[in-house]
Amino acid sequence: MSLTDKDKAAVKALWTKISKGADAIGADALGRMLVVYPQTKTYFSHWPDMKAGSAPVMKHGKKIMAGVAQAVAKIDDLTSGLLDLSELHAFQLRVDPANFKILAHCLQVVIATMYPNEFTPEAHVALDKFLSNLALALSEKYR
Amino acid sequence: MVEWTEQERNIITSIFSNLDYDDVGPKALCRCLIVYPWTQRYFASFGNLYNADAIKTNPNIQTHGTRVLHGLDRAVKNMDNIKGTYAELSVLHSEKLHVDPDNFKLLADCLTIVIAAKMGSGFTPEMQATFQKFLAVVVSALGRQYH
């Protein structure tokens, strides 16, 4: 389910509207994920605090959204555009790729809460496709 | 058996008692048909579903969205036996409607997104966790009678 020109335009249009709130989106989505899907906490056992709004969660949420921003900028070739991140996730972080879908869902829930008028069904389908392709590019180097 | 805390029961009853079924039901179904277009396969008799606008204004989809959402009422009233409550509906979806049970999760996700959009920051992580737990139990019950 590759991205059409229409999808890419829709993603970029949505990103323009939400990018100023990217840090808040990332922090909320990550915090939410740790509560709604407790199994994801296994990847952060080294954090002193995993509660929503805590320093590690805010900092990491910001980092994740920087990755999403990178993906939006490289939307025409996600595989090569996210090569460095793929290697990081494959060889160091080794996050099970099933979790990419979980985080993508949480990101979309947060965007729905914060931008209900912008997150139309049309924007939703484009973003869902984009996040799936992003996850695919991220798992490129896994095996 | 699925265990529900007092808080979880309250969250579910609160979400459903404040629900505008005629708005949320159609919105969730439309979103599912738009975001996961292969789900349109079950609605061939509903008329024009050619694009997002056609889907959103289709009166059959409107009616059906409301009906589907009301289908959850029995689960809300029988949270301690959702499995038994939906045995018949499960048989219906399997033997008459021939719905791939994987699709139940897709509609559940769209319903979550629509509720999130309505409640905004009120849709806390705890509410999301409880709501998704409830929907997961419903989805499991609906898929139970498939063979």
Side-chain angles (χ1 to χ4, degrees):
Chain A
M1 295 186 247
S2 46
L3 297 170
T4 63
D5 288 338
K6 188 172 161 215
D7 293 324
K8 293 179 192 177
V11 169
K12 286 182 193 163
L14 182 65
W15 184 252
T16 313
K17 293 176 193 150
I18 70 176
S19 56
K20 271 196 213 72
D23 290 353
I25 293 172
D28 191 336
L30 182 61
R32 206 170 267 272
M33 183 186 80
L34 296 169
V35 169
V36 180
Y37 303 93
Q39 70 270 24
T40 58
K41 291 194 291 189
T42 54
Y43 291 100
F44 304 102
S45 50
H46 55 286
W47 282 358
D49 191 354
M50 280 192 250
K51 272 196 295 296
S54 68
V57 171
M58 309 256 316
K59 182 169 171 220
H60 200 66
K62 197 170 161 179
K63 189 184 282 181
I64 290 173
M65 292 310 280
V68 174
Q70 182 178 333
V72 174
K74 303 283 180 177
I75 200 168
D76 290 317
D77 189 350
L78 287 170
T79 313
S80 37
L82 298 178
L83 196 57
D84 56 338
L85 280 173
S86 182
E87 288 181 348
L88 175 75
H89 284 76
F91 305 127
Q92 284 186 51
L93 303 176
R94 288 175 290 193
V95 174
D96 190 308
N99 295 291
F100 298 150
K101 221 175 178 188
I102 287 175
L103 181 57
H105 173 69
C106 290
L107 280 167
Q108 290 173 325
V109 168
V110 170
I111 291 171
T113 63
M114 292 183 181
Y115 303 91
N117 298 322
E118 288 80 355
F119 198 51
T120 60
E122 294 86 335
H124 182 168
V125 61
L127 185 67
D128 197 57
K129 286 177 75 174
F130 169 69
L131 292 173
S132 305
N133 281 282
L134 202 171
L136 218 54
L138 221 49
S139 47
E140 181 68 25
K141 291 289 175 190
Y142 270 61
R143 58 178 176 172
Chain B
M1 207 192 80
V2 183
E3 304 274 339
W4 301 98
T5 64
E6 200 58 45
Q7 192 197 27
E8 287 172 333
R9 290 176 200 273
N10 291 336
I11 285 174
I12 294 301
T13 17
S14 144
I15 290 177
F16 278 88
S17 55
N18 292 315
L19 213 51
D20 181 354
Y21 283 77
D22 292 323
D23 181 52
V24 171
K27 278 201 173 118
L29 183 58
C30 282
R31 197 168 276 258
C32 188
L33 296 172
I34 292 167
V35 178
Y36 308 107
W38 52 93
T39 57
Q40 291 168 26
R41 73 189 304 282
Y42 303 109
F43 301 98
S45 63
F46 274 42
N48 186 2
L49 299 176
Y50 290 140
N51 53 51
D53 287 327
I55 292 170
K56 287 184 211 174
T57 53
N58 185 311
N60 292 321
I61 295 293
Q62 290 286 311
T63 314
H64 199 68
T66 307
R67 178 189 296 146
V68 167
L69 192 56
H70 274 296
L72 292 177
D73 290 342
R74 278 160 57 206
V76 177
K77 293 199 185 77
N78 293 289
M79 282 175 70
D80 291 314
N81 186 21
I82 293 177
K83 193 162 59 176
T85 304
Y86 280 146
E88 241 183 270
L89 262 180
S90 178
V91 171
L92 176 82
H93 282 76
S94 160
E95 311 215 332
K96 185 152 177 261
L97 305 176
H98 307 292
V99 178
D100 181 341
D102 283 350
N103 292 167
F104 299 146
K105 186 166 190 308
L106 301 181
L107 180 58
D109 283 349
C110 286
L111 183 56
T112 303
I113 296 274
V114 171
I115 300 269
K118 281 226 127 170
M119 295 180 67
S121 55
F123 195 57
T124 61
E126 290 72 18
M127 294 196 80
Q128 182 183 345
T130 304
F131 192 60
Q132 289 192 193
K133 176 180 171 180
F134 173 75
L135 289 178
V137 175
V138 168
V139 163
S140 167
L142 278 176
R144 234 180 153 264
Q145 304 302 326
Y146 280 65
H147 62 91

